[in-house]
């Protein structure tokens, strides 16, 4: 039975470029869900003067297309400025691989999403956001959708872990429906705090547990 993948896709699947993580990266992001079958994390370093992406790596948890698109998106972005990298489209990623099966086109979309999210994370951490929308509960919930609930393999909003969100004077308090001594409580707490404290008008994020 012939493979649904062309030689370029298979090459990037078997010998992916820029794999792994970066210690203390300038920007990072994770998109997707292991429960849905595809998830990718991306890390990047940026030259502070030129805003050129000097190093970029990815970790993939998914199929051959997921690995191949993670590989090609790092190749396309490396050496570009963050503004240039933000303009990379999922069609460009797919075309650079010589095309993907239609059923796997979402993998190139996921790769572009994680690249843009990592750049956004960099911009927020370095005060480069020009559109400064006040933080609302909706914005906080959107950020918390990026925090995985390892128990279910889906995000903490979809699995109803978030019980309360309170925003006041630059402080965001989040109540999570888990006991404090739960095996995943600390990792969820750290991830949630990181996602929320990168918002431009948030000074501190406090995560509390129901028990």
């Amino acid at each position: 039975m012939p493979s649904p993948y062309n030689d370029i896709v298979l090459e990037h699947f078997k010998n992916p470029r820029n794999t792994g993580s970066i210690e203390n990266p300038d920007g990072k992001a994770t998109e997707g869900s292991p429960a849905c079958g595809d998830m990718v994390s991306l890390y990047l370093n940026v030259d502070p003067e030129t805003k050129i992406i000097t190093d970029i790596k990815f970790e993939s948890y998914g199929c051959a297309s997921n690995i191949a698109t993670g590989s090609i998106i790092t190749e396309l972005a490396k050496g570009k400025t963050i503004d240039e990298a933000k303009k990379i489209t999922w069609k460009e990623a797919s075309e650079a691989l010589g095309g993907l099966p239609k059923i796997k086109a979402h993998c190139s979309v996921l790769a572009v999403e994680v690249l843009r999210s990592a750049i956004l994370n960099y911009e927020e951490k370095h005060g480069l956001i020009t559109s400064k929308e006040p933080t609302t509960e909706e914005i906080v919930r959107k950020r918390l959708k990026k925090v995985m609930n390892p128990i279910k393999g889906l995000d903490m909003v979809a699995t109803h872990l978030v019980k309360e969100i309170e925003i006041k004077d630059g402080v965001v308090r989040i109540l999570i429906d888990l006991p404090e001594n739960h095996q995943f409580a600390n990792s969820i707490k750290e991830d949630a705090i990181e996602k929320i404290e990168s918002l431009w008008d948030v000074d501190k994020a406090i995560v509390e547990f129901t028990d």
Side-chain angles (χ1 to χ4, degrees), residues 63-76:
C63 64
S65 293
N66 186 268
I67 294 168
T69 52
S71 174
I72 199 68
I73 205 72
T74 60
E75 289 282 275
L76 292 172

Side-chain angles (χ1 to χ4, degrees), residues 52-63:
I52 288 174
I53 297 172
T54 56
D55 195 12
I56 183 167
K57 294 187 182 299
F58 81 101
E59 295 175 314
S60 171
Y61 313 88
C63 64

Side-chain angles (χ1 to χ4, degrees), residues 6-192:
N6 64 49
D7 290 344
I8 302 174
V9 173
L10 290 173
E11 166 61 21
H12 278 273
F13 165 57
K14 294 174 182 176
N15 302 291
R17 282 63 158 172
N18 307 306
T19 57
S21 61
I22 297 174
E23 189 174 353
N24 300 317
D26 292 331
K28 64 179 181 177
T30 298
E31 295 287 348
S33 162
C36 298
D38 290 304
M39 187 169 79
V40 61
S41 296
L42 189 141
Y43 313 83
L44 51 81
N45 281 337
V46 179
D47 184 290
E49 298 297 325
T50 63
K51 299 296 184 290
I52 288 174
I53 297 172
T54 56
D55 195 12
I56 183 167
K57 294 187 182 299
F58 81 101
E59 295 175 314
S60 171
Y61 313 88
C63 64
S65 293
N66 186 268
I67 294 168
T69 52
S71 174
I72 199 68
I73 205 72
T74 60
E75 289 282 275
L76 292 172
K78 194 170 185 178
K80 285 184 170 64
T81 66
I82 56 174
D83 285 339
E84 290 169 340
K86 282 190 285 189
K87 294 175 184 175
I88 297 171
T89 67
W90 69 269
K91 286 186 178 180
E92 287 178 70
S94 181
E95 288 169 1
L97 287 170
L100 289 169
K102 287 185 178 179
I103 197 170
K104 294 296 183 180
H106 69 278
C107 290
S108 56
V109 175
L110 188 66
V112 168
E113 284 180 353
V114 76
L115 172 63
R116 291 176 180 172
S117 293
I119 292 172
L120 177 62
N121 177 251
Y122 165 77
E123 290 176 328
E124 288 177 338
K125 285 164 61 175
H126 293 80
L128 300 176
I129 299 297
T130 54
S131 177
K132 295 186 174 181
E133 183 182 356
T135 295
T136 62
E137 183 175 333
E138 182 182 356
I139 289 172
V140 172
R141 284 188 180 275
K142 186 176 180 181
R143 287 300 177 97
L144 294 178
K145 287 181 179 179
K146 307 288 187 183
V147 179
M148 295 304 299
N149 174 359
I151 306 164
K152 299 287 182 68
L154 292 168
D155 70 83
M156 62 187 295
V157 174
T159 53
H160 309 292
L161 281 187
V162 181
K163 301 301 289 183
E164 292 178 16
I165 295 172
E166 183 181 282
I167 304 167
K168 187 177 181 180
D169 299 329
V171 177
V172 176
R173 187 182 72 86
I174 303 160
L175 181 63
I176 297 177
D177 190 16
L178 273 181
E180 192 168 7
N181 61 356
H182 191 280
Q183 61 175 323
F184 294 125
N186 197 52
S187 63
I188 290 173
K189 177 180 179 178
E190 288 179 357
D191 201 5

